[in-house]
């Protein structure tokens, strides 16, 4: 490999490690369990996005970033190493499963979204949660009775990182990101942003859990009008506001145990992420199918021409009508 190619790979590894570390520090600000387990772990989404964009050869960036993060949390080195192995293997497994499934980074097909949900988020993230929680129990840093509650928070946090962060990052560099919008569409985008913040604040700051459903009309609006870019952005905003409320134990997350708060929070985050992805991609496929039908109709008209059976001129001349 040329020196320039090696330098490029090295640069990608360094960038991935640095972004992973920064995303981890942001995620740890909202930790709920032992300073290490968060309801949404952004580095997982960053790691998977980096592998999808740069290739599997950049996995050392994930490992380095994860190890530095875990070492700074304190505790025995072997625990940090074990958790690092899980944090690295999970996105690598997700990458391999997605490539095996023929995943497209543009997320413009329903099969791509389903692969991201079931293979990457729900499947591959079992690796990191199992290794990490087991390491904490074996080191006596975590009581064995807390294994499953911690495991579930860890697993759902990694899964939410994949479902919320990865689509948003992929859409940022995708060709269907909205550009050159007319003034009316910019005004609509601004109105959508304001409604997203308002609905998110009302839903997460009041004690009535039923108000969480205020997010869904706005989410549907964003998916129909701005497709993946709008839907993934709104989902990220709603999830962030919900996590901030859960960390402060306010709103619908202020009168429950940790388990009750996590069920409400992750139920909301999961519903938001799945609705955003599935609705947006269904609209994309609908529009693509409609455009293909129009193209075929135009092509058929060109091939057959205007002299179709029953056309006005041919029918009149053939029967001597005036």
């Amino acid at each position: 490999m040329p020196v320039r190619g090696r330098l490029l790979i090295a640069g990608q590894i360094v960038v991935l490690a640095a972004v992973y570390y920064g995303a981890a520090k942001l995620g740890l600000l909202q930790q709920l369990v032992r300073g290490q387990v968060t309801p949404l772990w952004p580095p997982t989404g960053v790691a998977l996005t980096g592998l999808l964009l740069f290739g599997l050869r950049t996995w050392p960036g994930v490992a380095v970033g994860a190890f530095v993060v875990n070492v700074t949390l304190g505790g025995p080195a072997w625990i940090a190493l074990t958790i690092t192995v899980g944090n690295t293997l999970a996105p690598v497994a997700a990458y391999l499963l997605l490539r095996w499934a023929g995943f497209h980074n543009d997320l413009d097909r329903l099969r791509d979204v389903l692969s991201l949900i079931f293979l990457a988020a729900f499947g591959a993230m079992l690796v990191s949660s199992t290794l990490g929680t087991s390491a904490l129990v074996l080191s006596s840093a975590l009581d064995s009775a807390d294994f499953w509650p911690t495991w579930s928070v860890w697993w759902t946090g990694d899964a939410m990182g994949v479902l919320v962060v990865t689509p948003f990052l992929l859409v940022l560099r995708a060709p269907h990101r909205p550009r050159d919008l007319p003034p009316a569409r910019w005004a609509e985008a601004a109105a959508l942003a304001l409604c997203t913040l308002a609905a998110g604040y009302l839903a997460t700051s009041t004690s009535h859990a039923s108000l969480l459903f205020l997010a869904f009309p706005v989410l549907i609006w964003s998916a129909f009008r701005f497709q993946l870019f709008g839907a993934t952005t709104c989902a990220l905003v709603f999830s962030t506001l919900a996590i901030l409320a859960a960390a402060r134990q306010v709103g619908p997350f202020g009168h429950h145990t940790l388990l009750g708060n996590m069920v409400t929070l992750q139920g909301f985050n999961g519903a938001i992420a799945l609705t955003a992805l599935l609705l947006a991609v269904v609209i994309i496929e609908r529009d693509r199918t409609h455009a293909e039908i129009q193209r075929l109709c135009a092509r058929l008209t060109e091939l057959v021409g205007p002299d179709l059976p029953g056309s006005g001129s041919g029918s009149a001349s053939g029967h001597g009508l005036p």
Side-chain angles (χ1 to χ4, degrees), residues 78 84 96 102 119 139 154-155 167 173 208 210 212 231 235 259 282 300 315:
W78 73 269
T84 297
L96 293 175
L119 296 181
S139 66
W154 199 313
W155 176 64
R173 42 78 51 195
H208 300 288
S210 58
L212 290 173
L259 179 60
V282 166
L300 183 62
S315 174

Side-chain angles (χ1 to χ4, degrees), residues 16 28 31 48 62 76 79 102 116-117 124-125 135 147 153 160 185 192 200 217-218 222 267-268 279 298 311:
L16 184 54
L28 289 172
Q31 53 81 22
L48 180 56
V62 179
I79 296 180
L116 187 71
I117 294 170
M125 296 306 114
F147 177 88
V153 175
M160 288 302 108
R185 291 278 280 169
L192 175 61
V218 179
S222 67
F268 175 72
L279 182 58
S311 60

